[in-house]
Amino acid sequence: MHLGNVFTAVLSWLAAKSTGGRWVLRIEDLDPQRSRLEHARQIEDDLRWLGLEWDEGGLDGAGTSGPYLQSLRGDIYEAFLDKLRQTGYTYPCFCTRADIMATQAPHQSDGRVVYAGTCRPSSFPSGCVPQRPHATRIYVPDEEIVYSDVVFGPQSVNLAWECGDFILRRADGAWAYQLAVVVDDALMGVRQVVRGADLLLSAAQQIYLYRMLGLEPPSFAHLPLVCNAEERRLSKRDAALGMAELRAANSPEELLGRIAAMAGLIPEARAISLGELLSEFSWSKIHRLPTLKA
């Protein structure tokens, strides 16, 4: 983890505990090329160092909604994908990433593109399920998804314009984040999701899936992204802001104080315990900015 990851973890823990809720640690290891068990162990060690104990989940799988590793939940996702197929609004897609990128220029500065509907059937409901490898997409209507974010307030997103029909399962069999987290949050009883503002669009996609599955969506609280001195979002390149370096230079209380000041919970950075910080927590204090400088 880096400072941005820890920033989100601390605020999500505070949000859960301030309302007497449970804090769930789910290991989102959908990408086999990037996911390693040792990374999950390190995340758990870093969280415990900060004092952020989870109420269920993690590698030991404590709780009644497991398994808590997404890589072990494929059968569950398959069952929910079947439910979506039964609506007639999913369809096979044979486009490669190169095909999609060639259809138009990036839609936003992060490189996201709007799927042009190249493989979309001429009419719905669709019942076509070919035997050769394919991704599975879901049709999105040309209408607004409206919701209110805890931090950023009212949101209105037209998925047809912002992303187009999106993927539920890749051609290589990997499950898409959008489907996996909707299923997991619903089955694990998650009532509030706290994460970075880069996922504001994802909230609209997920709300759409909740509706298609007849499920009640949680509330969403998106946080400002923590950026480096060049105002770019943090990544592994920002080694000085990785947890190994942060732990070497700070006590847990000092790092908590730095995060609290960045968020707006306290006026300036000072060493603070989790218990003290919990008494300071209020969503009304959180900075409503797209980015924060580390």
Side-chain angles (χ1 to χ4, degrees):
M1 294 194 293
H2 54 59
L3 183 60
N5 304 137
V6 181
F7 178 83
T8 303
V10 170
L11 290 176
S12 65
W13 186 93
L14 292 170
K17 296 305 177 181
S18 68
T19 58
R22 297 173 297 117
W23 197 54
V24 180
L25 178 59
R26 188 168 64 227
I27 308 300
E28 299 190 341
D29 56 345
L30 290 173
D31 188 339
Q33 295 183 334
R34 299 176 60 190
S35 303
R36 300 287 185 272
L37 200 58
E38 58 266 28
H39 298 164
R41 292 194 184 100
Q42 185 61 58
I43 287 171
E44 291 193 345
D45 185 68
D46 288 335
L47 293 174
R48 287 194 175 104
W49 178 81
L50 277 167
L52 300 177
E53 292 289 342
W54 48 96
D55 298 292
E56 64 178 83
L59 291 174
D60 62 3
T64 59
S65 301
Y68 292 90
L69 278 74
Q70 288 185 325
S71 58
L72 302 178
R73 296 176 65 82
D75 290 345
I76 299 172
Y77 305 144
E78 187 69 59
F80 278 84
L81 180 58
D82 282 342
K83 290 184 179 181
L84 290 170
R85 286 194 184 108
Q86 290 167 21
T87 69
Y89 286 97
T90 67
Y91 62 89
C93 177
F94 302 97
C95 298
T96 66
R97 179 163 179 79
D99 293 334
I100 295 168
M101 293 301 291
T103 62
Q104 65 182 111
H107 182 57
Q108 292 191 347
S109 59
D110 62 3
R112 188 169 70 245
V113 298
V114 178
Y115 180 63
T118 306
C119 292
R120 179 191 284 185
S122 58
S123 63
F124 289 96
S126 168
C128 178
V129 182
Q131 296 304 306
R132 63 190 176 107
H134 62 275
T136 300
R137 289 186 182 270
I138 188 164
Y139 162 83
V140 298
D142 184 5
E143 61 185 45
E144 300 293 315
I145 300 288
V146 178
Y147 71 99
S148 184
D149 185 76
V150 173
V151 177
F152 288 95
Q155 303 292 314
S156 182
V157 179
N158 186 313
L159 293 177
W161 288 92
E162 293 294 332
C163 64
D165 304 340
F166 57 90
I167 286 179
L168 302 175
R169 193 176 194 180
R170 295 187 335 208
D172 63 2
W175 295 100
Y177 168 79
Q178 311 298 0
L179 176 64
V181 297
V182 165
V183 170
D184 290 348
D185 286 347
L187 296 182
M188 293 177 185
V190 172
R191 291 291 168 261
Q192 186 172 72
V193 173
V194 181
R195 60 192 183 191
D198 56 326
L199 291 170
L200 272 166
L201 173 61
S202 287
Q205 293 172 288
Q206 290 157 27
I207 288 169
Y208 178 63
L209 290 181
Y210 277 106
R211 292 176 182 174
M212 294 293 286
L213 290 166
L215 299 170
E216 184 69 24
S219 70
F220 292 93
H222 290 86
L223 303 171
L225 294 182
V226 179
C227 295
N228 60 22
E230 289 76 40
E231 298 188 358
R232 291 195 298 265
R233 58 183 295 183
L234 297 184
S235 68
K236 291 181 175 64
R237 293 186 297 272
D238 299 292
L241 297 173
M243 272 301 286
E245 291 74 14
L246 292 171
R247 285 176 65 163
N250 300 272
S251 67
E253 292 77 15
E254 287 170 336
L255 185 53
L256 288 171
R258 178 177 177 179
I259 288 168
M262 286 172 54
L265 296 178
I266 58 177
E268 57 185 25
R270 61 178 174 84
I272 189 170
S273 70
L274 264 180
E276 291 177 281
L277 190 50
L278 187 56
S279 67
E280 296 284 351
F281 178 76
S282 170
W283 281 120
S284 64
K285 294 181 179 180
I286 302 299
H287 292 307
R288 285 159 171 76
L289 300 169
T291 60
L292 296 172
K293 192 170 290 188

